[in-house]
């Protein structure tokens, strides 16, 4: 009876799937440089990258693309490429990563971290080099987004870049932990994937998975 009561309580909270942690798309930044607007999800998954269509470069979106290491912005500031992290926690996080523009040609790229609630956290311009993008003490609430935005500056030529940040929960009151009391973390590189990686389990699916792992299901005495 106790297990049944707990199960009913768990299922009744929500029967819908959780929102994905990472989203991939493009859009533009508001005139004050504080937030993303017109975020549009990429339409096509190649098996290793998100892009505008099966044709690359796309007739409308050109070289606009994201993969696990980085990507390429679009032809103008209205088509910045955006890797979005949606916070599943209330707490404080840190961002660690390096923005790299490897080409001597072109004018480089401009990258920024924008919070849906706090506005611009930081930004950098890189040309034929690299810069650390490490930020401490970013306050997040569940559902907040951190947008990792890269635009082409004045020219899109030779604008391939690398930027695959890691977000880590910082220790503090109420911080959640996983096995061995390690704080939660999210890697843009290792978490990267297609539509299947963006589908989270519903509460029913989580409950059924739990049942399948109990002794009653796993063993016959």
């Amino acid at each position: 009876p106790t297990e049944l009561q707990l199960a009913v309580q768990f299922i009744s909270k929500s029967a819908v799937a959780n929102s994905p942690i990472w989203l991939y798309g493009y859009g533009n930044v508001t005139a004050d440089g504080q937030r993303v607007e017109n975020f549009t999800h990429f339409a096509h998954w190649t098996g290793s990258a998100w892009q505008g269509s099966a044709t690359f470069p796309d007739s409308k979106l050109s070289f606009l693309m994201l993969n696990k290491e980085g990507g390429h912005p679009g032809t103008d500031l209205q088509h910045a490429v955006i890797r979005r992290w949606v916070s599943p926690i209330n707490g404080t996080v840190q961002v660690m990563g390096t923005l790299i523009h490897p080409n001597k040609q072109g004018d480089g790229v401009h990258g920024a971290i924008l919070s849906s609630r706090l506005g611009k956290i930081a930004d950098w311009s890189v040309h034929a080099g690299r810069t650390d993008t490490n930020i401490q003490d970013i306050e997040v609430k569940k559902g907040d987004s951190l947008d990792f935005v890269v635009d082409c500056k004045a020219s899109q030529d030779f604008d391939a870049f690398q930027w695959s940040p890691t977000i880590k929960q910082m220790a503090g009151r109420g911080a959640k932990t996983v096995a061995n009391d390690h704080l939660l973390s999210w890697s843009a590189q290792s978490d990267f994937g297609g539509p299947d990686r963006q589908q989270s389990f519903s509460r029913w699916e989580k409950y059924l998975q739990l049942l399948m792992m109990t002794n009653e299901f796993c063993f016959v005495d």
Side-chain angles (χ1 to χ4, degrees):
T2 302
E3 292 176 345
L4 180 60
Q5 181 183 9
L6 290 172
V8 171
Q9 290 175 352
F10 179 77
I11 296 298
S12 63
K13 288 182 180 179
S14 174
V16 299
N18 296 328
S19 299
I21 301 296
W22 294 99
L23 300 172
Y24 311 99
Y26 56 93
N28 63 285
V29 176
T30 54
D32 60 7
Q34 293 297 307
R35 288 173 176 81
V36 164
E37 62 180 0
N38 301 319
F39 179 82
T40 303
H41 296 273
F42 276 113
H44 183 73
W45 168 247
T46 68
S48 61
W50 285 100
Q51 57 192 45
S53 69
T55 302
F56 188 82
D58 180 70
S59 60
K60 294 182 179 180
L61 299 178
S62 188
F63 291 96
L64 194 65
M65 177 270 291
L66 270 175
N67 58 34
K68 66 179 182 180
E69 288 92 9
H72 197 293
T75 57
D76 53 40
L77 298 182
Q78 302 303 308
H79 294 86
V81 67
I82 302 166
R83 192 186 305 267
R84 171 171 287 183
W85 176 78
V86 182
S87 176
I89 63 167
N90 297 319
T92 305
V93 298
Q94 61 178 328
V95 172
M96 295 175 291
T98 304
L99 176 59
I100 302 171
H101 177 262
N103 296 305
K104 294 182 179 180
Q105 299 96 325
D107 61 354
V109 296
H110 171 250
I113 302 176
L114 307 179
S115 164
S116 60
R117 191 162 53 86
L118 302 176
K120 183 168 71 174
I121 303 298
D123 68 330
W124 308 266
S125 288
V126 185
H127 180 214
R130 61 176 59 210
T131 184
D132 290 336
T133 60
N134 302 329
I135 304 292
Q136 303 286 325
D137 298 318
I138 304 174
E139 182 183 351
V140 294
K141 294 186 181 299
K142 190 176 296 186
D144 284 356
S145 62
L146 292 181
D147 289 324
F148 298 86
V149 184
V150 178
D151 66 62
C152 66
K153 300 178 71 175
S155 168
Q156 73 150 347
D157 295 336
F158 302 98
D159 276 353
F161 69 91
Q162 298 171 31
W163 195 19
S164 52
T166 296
I167 300 170
K168 289 189 175 182
Q169 180 186 24
M170 300 185 69
R173 184 177 180 181
K176 297 180 180 179
T177 59
V178 292
N180 300 321
D181 290 331
H182 291 169
L183 293 170
L184 299 173
S185 65
W186 302 266
S187 167
Q189 186 169 34
S190 61
D191 295 345
F192 186 78
D196 58 323
R197 294 292 295 272
Q198 294 185 297
Q199 298 298 320
S200 300
F201 283 168
S202 69
R203 286 187 175 270
W204 271 111
E205 290 168 327
K206 290 179 179 180
Y207 179 58
L208 293 175
Q209 178 72 16
L210 174 65
L211 289 181
M212 293 296 292
M213 296 174 65
T214 60
N215 283 355
E216 290 89 341
F217 275 81
C218 289
F219 301 101
V220 177
D221 293 329

